[in-house]
Amino acid sequence: YFQNSVIDAEAKALIYNAIESLPEQERTVFELSFMEGLKNVEIAKLLKLSDSSIKKYKASALQLLRKKLRPDLFLMLLGL
């Protein structure tokens, strides 16, 4: 059990650091979408941006996180 909790803590730290390293706009959209569960339309209204801008920032955030994280951590982040 101890080894698994250490691995989980390390994985969470790596994921958290990757999210924190995103550019501000991508990080904000990612957090609102994937962590807060808001829809694109809600995020657009909240941030006073277009729906297409939200889609662009979300795609950019996912692309950057995919590059920064090992495949297993990226899938863990997405909850797969």
Side-chain angles (χ1 to χ4, degrees):
Y1 174 78
F2 178 74
Q3 289 179 331
N4 286 341
S5 64
V6 170
I7 290 170
D8 287 344
E10 289 176 14
K12 287 177 184 176
L14 290 169
I15 291 169
Y16 176 79
N17 289 337
I19 293 169
E20 287 298 308
S21 73
L22 291 172
E24 183 179 355
Q25 205 64 286
E26 280 85 346
R27 184 178 67 245
T28 300
V29 170
F30 179 85
E31 289 174 345
L32 290 171
S33 178
F34 290 94
M35 300 172 128
E36 301 293 328
L38 297 180
K39 297 181 188 302
N40 288 356
V41 174
E42 296 169 315
I43 299 168
K45 186 174 182 180
L46 183 67
L47 300 180
K48 297 180 176 135
L49 295 170
S50 68
D51 187 50
S52 62
S53 291
I54 299 305
K55 290 177 185 175
K56 182 187 86 163
Y57 287 127
K58 192 189 291 189
S60 175
L62 289 172
Q63 183 179 27
L64 290 167
L65 289 170
R66 189 177 292 124
K67 288 179 183 177
K68 292 173 186 277
L69 294 169
R70 297 186 325 242
D72 60 321
L73 294 178
F74 182 73
L75 291 175
M76 185 185 297
L77 169 68
L78 296 180
L80 302 175

